[in-house]
């Protein structure tokens, strides 16, 4: 998909251990801020967040205006799903924010819909943290203590 700046994105090539995909149509977009703010406050830039706007039904004549609106209001890339095909593949629920936890293989591990309530956010954080912990790189093995330095023996040396 292209973002509002005309740059093409392919999520499969950009996946980290744990990824959040937020997907909404116009009515659902009002529910996104609570999710995005809470995820940013907790994880900062450590958690990739991919936004997708479902724009099926927007007439082609209005698309440049919609793209310009996104450019003026949203500084980070938002993927523009003009046909709704990607939303359909992700089992999108219209009229609600759709928040997906996706692993590095592209599997949807968990889904939340609607506004960000304390209960939903707690569950979301639990799922993300578990995925991050499960995929943490194991620490490097501890190196054994180095052997003591070898000291040359003076035994058997000619007397000076």
């Amino acid at each position: 998909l292209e973002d509002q700046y005309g740059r093409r994105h392919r999520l499969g090539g950009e996946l980290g251990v744990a990824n959040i995909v937020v997907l909404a149509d116009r009515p659902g977009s009002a529910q996104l801020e609570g999710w995005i703010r809470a995820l940013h406050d907790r994880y900062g830039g450590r958690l990739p967040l991919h936004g997708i706007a479902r724009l099926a039904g927007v007439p082609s004549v209005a698309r440049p205006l919609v793209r310009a609106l996104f450019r003026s209001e949203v500084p980070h890339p938002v993927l523009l799903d003009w046909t709704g095909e990607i939303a359909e593949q992700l089992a999108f629920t219209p009229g609600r924010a759709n928040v997906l936890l996706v692993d590095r293989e592209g599997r949807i591990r968990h889904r939340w819909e609607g506004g960000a309530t304390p209960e939903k956010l707690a569950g979301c954080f639990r799922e993300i943290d578990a995925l991050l912990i499960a995929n943490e790189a194991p620490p490097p093995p501890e190196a054994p203590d180095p052997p003591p330095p070898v000291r040359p023996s003076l035994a058997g040396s000619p007397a000076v």
Side-chain angles (χ1 to χ4, degrees):
L1 295 175
E2 282 189 357
D3 65 18
Q4 71 270 37
Y5 302 105
R7 292 184 300 243
R8 295 190 65 71
H9 295 261
R10 178 173 165 75
L11 288 182
E14 303 172 14
L15 295 178
V17 169
N19 306 269
I20 295 292
V21 175
V22 293
L23 172 63
D25 53 10
R26 187 164 189 213
S29 68
Q31 300 171 339
L32 289 177
E33 185 178 346
W35 287 103
I36 293 169
R37 182 177 309 282
L39 289 163
H40 185 269
D41 288 351
R42 183 170 176 108
Y43 299 102
R46 298 178 301 139
L47 187 67
L49 187 98
H50 310 280
I52 302 175
R54 182 185 174 273
L55 300 167
V58 173
S60 58
V61 70
R63 290 179 182 181
L65 178 63
V66 171
R67 189 182 293 270
L69 188 63
F70 271 96
R71 276 195 306 266
S72 69
E73 292 187 10
V74 186
H76 56 275
V78 176
L79 307 182
L80 307 175
D81 184 8
W82 298 109
T83 65
E85 183 180 338
I86 299 301
E88 188 176 307
Q89 290 175 11
L90 297 173
F92 171 71
T93 301
R96 307 186 78 174
N98 289 239
V99 180
L100 312 174
L101 173 59
V102 179
D103 66 19
R104 68 167 47 127
E105 286 81 30
R107 292 183 303 235
I108 297 173
R109 301 293 289 254
H110 207 84
R111 159 188 311 271
W112 299 271
E113 294 178 359
T117 64
E119 296 80 20
K120 288 180 189 176
L121 287 169
C124 180
F125 296 157
R126 232 182 355 265
E127 294 290 334
I128 292 169
D129 292 347
L131 187 57
L132 291 172
I133 290 167
N135 286 286
E136 226 176 53
E142 288 187 32
D145 291 334
V150 177
R151 294 205 164 114
S153 171
L154 296 177
S157 299
V160 181

